[in-house]
Amino acid sequence: MSYAEHSAEGVAILLWATDPSAPERLATPFFHAAAAAAMDAPVEIYFTATSVQLLAPGVAAALRASPRIDKTVLAHMQDAAGHGARFFACTDALVAQGLDGVTLIPEYTGRGGAVQFMARALDLRWRTLVF
């Protein structure tokens, strides 16, 4: 069997415990997204719970995963988006965080939540990660 016979069609990443109040956990999902997208895999990132705050202007730009790293969380997000990762936000989470109707960062693709992520999780051709 060749590698191609086992290749995934894409990667779906759910951001659930990636809370802006814990910035040390925010860079890793975007490293993984950028790596998969750089390998020409479609990548979808689903922002839920408080992670949707990262899509608000200025939030991710003010965060760093470590005080020893100059790169902002927004820069990590832009790397992933630059390689083709698409960013989706849960409608309920946007409402709960007061972001419904707010103009979000340019990397934001559109609405997508539990139904879309679960469709990917149930599709054997897709791989899923939860952060």
Side-chain angles (χ1 to χ4, degrees):
M1 294 188 153
S2 72
Y3 171 75
E5 292 177 60
H6 297 286
S7 293
E9 187 171 309
V11 177
I13 298 172
L14 179 68
L15 302 182
W16 174 71
T18 48
D19 188 315
S21 69
E24 66 276 5
R25 290 186 290 199
L26 298 179
T28 300
F30 301 107
F31 274 122
H32 287 277
M39 293 178 195
D40 294 324
V43 176
E44 298 174 351
I45 302 174
Y46 293 89
F47 293 75
T48 130
T50 58
S51 73
V52 296
Q53 293 173 2
L54 296 172
L55 298 170
V59 174
L63 298 171
R64 288 179 172 66
S66 166
R68 293 186 285 275
I69 304 293
D70 275 342
K71 191 172 187 175
T72 66
V73 171
L74 179 61
H76 289 291
M77 294 169 70
Q78 290 170 329
D79 286 347
H83 285 296
R86 299 176 64 203
F87 295 1
F88 297 98
C90 172
T91 299
D92 289 343
L94 289 171
V95 170
Q97 297 300 313
L99 296 173
D100 192 39
V102 171
T103 299
L104 302 174
I105 61 174
E107 292 75 18
Y108 170 68
T109 302
R111 303 284 173 111
V115 172
Q116 292 80 8
F117 181 78
M118 289 311 299
R120 295 303 191 200
L122 292 170
D123 186 334
L124 297 178
R125 297 167 298 174
W126 279 71
R127 306 298 185 263
T128 57
L129 298 169
V130 178
F131 290 92

